[in-house]
Amino acid sequence: MGADRARVVVVGAGIAGVACGAELARAGVPVRIYERARVAGGRMASKRFDGRPADLGAAYFTVSDPDFARVVRGWEAAGLAREWTDTFVAYSADGRREAPGPVRWAAPRGLRSLVEHLAADLPVAVDRLVLGVEPGPHVDGERCAAVALALPGPQAALLLDPALAAATAAVAAQRWSSTLSGVLRFPARSWPAFRGAFVNDHPLLRLVCDDGDRRGDGAPVLVAHTTPGFAAGHLAQPTGAAPAVEQAVRDLLALPERAAHVHVHRWTYAMPAAPAGDATYHLDADGIGLAGDAFGAPRVQTAWRSGRDLGRDLAARLRP
Ligand SMILES: Cc1cc2nc3c(=O)[nH]c(=O)nc-3n(C[C@H](O)[C@H](O)[C@H](O)COP(=O)(O)OP(=O)(O)OC[C@H]3O[C@@H](n4cnc5c(N)ncnc54)[C@H](O)[C@@H]3O)c2cc1C
C-alpha cells in the first residue's frame, strides 16, 4: 500500500462502506465511495409508496457496542432514530406468546435516512457500478492506495481479479442466504397491537413487523420477511410470490380484509452465516479490504463496526 498513490476507493455505500469512509475522512485520508444504486443505504433500505417510506431490508437495529451507541445517540439527537420496543410476539406450533428481548431501534424516516446522515459530508458517487478490482490495486482501471469492498462476499467475488488471492479466498469462505420482503399496504389497520412478530417453524414467514408502529405514524402497513427456503424458489420472479406472502400474513394475524397493494423485494444476499473466526474485517498485502456484516452476527451494528475498524486500520497505514 503506497501512501503516495491517490486515495482509497470504498465500494458500496451501505452502513459498512459509509462507516469506513467516515473514518478515513476523519483521518485526512482522501477517499471516494462508489455506489451502484441511486441512493446510499444498501440493505438498510427504505422504499417510498405514495410518498411514505417503508423499511424493506433491516427491520430494526439493536445496540450493545458503546462506540455504536454514541453514533445512535447522534441519530437520536437529530430526530432520526428512536427506541421502538423491547417486546415482540413469537408465533410457533404452540401458539402465540410475548417475546421480551433487547430494545429495538427504528427510524421515523426509514433506516436509510441513518446511512444518509452518516454519509452527508462524504464523497459518495451514486449510480456508479464498479465492474472490476485488479492488482495494483486498481478499480475499473483507476489506481488507488487501497480498496475497501463493503458489500456481500458473493457481490465482491464478481469484482475481484483471481490474482487477488487472499481477498478471493476470504469472500469464497462466506455463506449467504436469501429473503423476500413483502410490503403489504391495507385500507385500514385491522390487527391487534403486536409491533413485531417472530414466526418460528413456518414454511414461508420468518418475521412480520408493523411498519406504521415502528415508524410512529400508524400507517396500515405490514412488512413480512420470508424464510430462505421460500425465497430460494422465487428469486427469478419475486413478484409472483406476492399472493402467497399476503395469504400467509393474513392467516397468521387472522386479518379480515385483503391488502390493497403488495410489493415484493428480492434480497438474493440477505444474511451471511456466522463466520468461523472473530476478525471484524479483512485487509491484505494486496491493499484489498473487506467489511460488512459477514464479520460477526448479521446485524447493522456488526456492519458499522466492521467498516469503522477497516477504516481505522487503513487510516493508520495511509495517514498523510
Ligand atoms: C431482509 C433483511 C432483514 C434484516 N433485518 C435486520 C434486522 O432486523 N436487524 C439488523 O441489525 N440487521 C438486519 N439485517 C441486516 C442489515 O441490513 C445488514 O447487516 C447491514 O445493512 C449490512 O450493511 P453493509 O454495509 O455491510 O452491506 P449492504 O447494506 O449490503 O451494502 C452494500 C452496498 O454495496 C452496493 N454494491 C453492490 N455491488 C456493487 C458494485 N459492483 N458497485 C458499487 N456498489 C455496489 C450495494 O448497492 C449496497 O448499497 C437485515 C437484512 C435484510 C436483507
Side-chain angles (χ1 to χ4, degrees):
M1 261 181 285
D4 51 323
R5 284 180 240 143
R7 60 186 171 202
V8 176
V9 169
V10 178
V11 183
I15 192 157
V18 167
C20 182
E23 207 60 30
L24 288 161
R26 196 170 298 126
V29 176
V31 60
R32 195 146 172 80
I33 304 177
Y34 292 154
E35 168 55 51
R36 71 176 176 183
R38 280 183 299 110
V39 289
R43 279 171 284 149
M44 291 172 72
S46 315
K47 183 176 168 64
R48 286 185 176 275
F49 298 94
D50 293 336
R52 179 191 181 277
D55 282 317
L56 283 178
Y60 53 81
F61 61 91
T62 52
V63 186
S64 57
D65 178 311
D67 291 342
F68 186 57
R70 271 190 285 280
V71 174
V72 174
R73 277 199 293 278
W75 287 333
E76 189 178 26
L80 294 173
R82 68 183 188 109
E83 289 189 10
W84 176 27
T85 181
D86 63 1
T87 307
F88 274 11
V89 298
Y91 286 86
S92 67
D94 301 332
R96 169 183 156 139
R97 62 173 174 82
E98 282 214 336
V103 171
R104 283 125 188 151
W105 286 74
R109 296 183 211 165
L111 289 172
R112 188 164 68 74
S113 67
L114 307 180
V115 183
E116 285 185 327
H117 186 71
L118 290 186
D121 298 324
L122 296 176
V124 180
V126 295
D127 280 326
R128 174 68 166 82
L129 172 70
V130 170
L131 296 173
V133 177
E134 302 90 27
H138 292 84
V139 173
D140 293 343
E142 172 192 354
R143 186 98 188 251
C144 37
V147 182
L149 297 173
L151 61 173
Q155 293 176 337
L158 295 174
L159 310 182
L160 281 166
D161 184 306
L164 298 166
T168 300
V171 296
Q174 296 180 15
R175 294 286 167 268
W176 286 74
S177 60
S178 306
T179 296
L180 302 180
S181 296
V183 180
L184 287 73
R185 294 188 291 148
F186 289 86
R189 297 175 70 82
S190 60
W191 48 88
F194 72 97
R195 298 184 183 276
F198 298 116
V199 192
N200 300 315
D201 312 320
H202 193 283
L204 198 158
L205 295 174
R206 197 171 55 81
L207 181 76
V208 181
C209 285
D210 183 334
D211 198 64
D213 188 70
R214 71 180 163 197
R215 183 69 39 76
D217 66 357
V221 180
L222 299 174
V223 179
H225 295 168
T226 75
T227 58
F230 179 79
H234 293 84
L235 292 178
Q237 209 178 4
T239 48
V245 172
E246 180 189 6
Q247 194 58 53
V249 171
R250 289 185 62 206
D251 290 347
L252 183 81
L253 299 173
L255 302 180
E257 58 182 350
R258 295 200 56 183
H261 183 266
V262 182
H263 170 84
V264 177
H265 183 90
R266 163 187 51 204
W267 296 104
T268 305
Y269 304 111
M271 296 271 179
D278 54 10
T280 61
Y281 62 93
H282 164 101
L283 181 58
D284 59 42
D286 296 318
I288 307 298
L290 303 170
D293 58 344
F295 292 90
R299 297 274 173 268
V300 167
Q301 176 177 270
T302 304
W304 174 84
R305 189 174 50 206
S306 176
R308 190 276 312 262
D309 288 356
L310 174 59
R312 266 193 190 166
D313 193 344
L314 285 167
R317 298 177 192 215
L318 299 168
R319 194 175 276 120

